[in-house]
Each structure stands twice: as structure tokens, then as C-alpha cells.
Amino acid sequence: MPVRYARRDPPPEEPVPEDPGGEEGEPPARPAASVPVRPTSAAPAPIPVRRSHAPAFAAIAVVLLGVYLAPWSLLAPLLLALLLLSSGLTFLGTRLNPFSVGFYLTVKPSWTSIAVLFLAGLFLLDVAYSYWTHGWGPLLPAHPLPW
């Protein structure tokens, strides 16, 4: 079956009817042109790349929570550091791994937010280690609630 393509020629201009105008000597009224204007460039517009910085702000909130809970139990900053480091690895997979589902998302985490996740996790590990070496916090909580 043959394929018929649409023509790219502009449509022919229709003749404009003569309008006598209002008064003597006034030019006749003419309708606006209905021919669409073609763009000068044939190249398609680039797709804007969107990056999200939201994980960085969440990581800062998790660091503050970990520092707050460190005197109560050293397990809290350790578990939060593990959460941040595993989230950083997941987000790194969305940027580097083509077999990851997140690789094909339209909005990805920025490189800055991934770095902040890793640095926040390392900072919480350092907080837990410092509290352990100085004896500022127990490994297991002494009270059921931190407050």
C-alpha cells in the first residue's frame, strides 16, 4: 500500500474581495493574513533538564535529628547515617545506572544533593564515633523516650 505524505507547500492565497471603504479616498479594508509563519530554524528546541535539590534539605534535617538523638542513644545517629548513605547510593544509581528505573525519570537529584547526602551520612558517623570515644552517649538508650 503506498504511503501518501502531506504536502509542505503553503496553501494558496485566496483573492481578497474588494471593499469599497467608507468615504471617498479611503483605502479598502483588508483581512489579516491567515498563512501561518514558519520558524526560521529547523532544529528542535532542546529539552530542559531539571534537577532537584530537595534531598539536600532533607539530609540536613536528618543530621539535626541525629545530633539531637545522639546523647540518648548512639544507635540513632548510626541508623540515620546508614539511611543517608543508602539513599545517596540509590540516588547515585539514578544518575549513573541505565538499568535503574530512576535513570529514566524526568526530574533527577542533582549532583550537589547526592554529595550532601554522602557528607551528611559521614558526618553522622563521625558524631556517633565522637560521642562513643568521649563517653557522651550510651550505646543503648537508658530511657524509653529521648525527652
Side-chain angles (χ1 to χ4, degrees), residues 67-106:
V67 170
Y68 174 74
L69 294 177
W72 175 63
S73 171
L74 293 181
L75 290 178
L78 287 174
L79 291 175
L80 291 174
L82 180 67
L83 173 80
L84 288 172
L85 292 174
S86 65
S87 298
L89 284 175
T90 303
F91 288 150
L92 189 63
T94 63
R95 296 298 302 265
L96 298 177
N97 184 7
F99 296 115
S100 171
V101 175
F103 185 77
Y104 302 101
L105 293 175
T106 56

Side-chain angles (χ1 to χ4, degrees), residues 14-144:
E14 298 177 11
V16 179
E18 291 291 325
D19 187 14
E23 296 180 14
E24 189 67 34
E26 200 176 300
R30 185 171 182 175
S34 62
V35 177
V37 177
R38 291 187 179 187
T40 58
S41 170
I47 299 173
V49 179
R50 299 187 316 175
R51 302 289 180 238
S52 174
H53 301 291
F57 299 112
I60 293 170
V62 171
V63 165
L64 293 175
L65 180 66
V67 170
Y68 174 74
L69 294 177
W72 175 63
S73 171
L74 293 181
L75 290 178
L78 287 174
L79 291 175
L80 291 174
L82 180 67
L83 173 80
L84 288 172
L85 292 174
S86 65
S87 298
L89 284 175
T90 303
F91 288 150
L92 189 63
T94 63
R95 296 298 302 265
L96 298 177
N97 184 7
F99 296 115
S100 171
V101 175
F103 185 77
Y104 302 101
L105 293 175
T106 56
V107 178
K108 295 181 184 181
S110 65
W111 289 108
T112 306
S113 64
I114 293 172
V116 168
L117 280 173
F118 282 119
L119 291 175
L122 291 175
F123 178 74
L124 278 181
L125 286 177
D126 182 54
V127 166
Y129 179 72
S130 297
Y131 272 48
W132 173 259
T133 56
H134 289 71
W136 293 339
L139 184 61
L140 296 174
H143 309 289

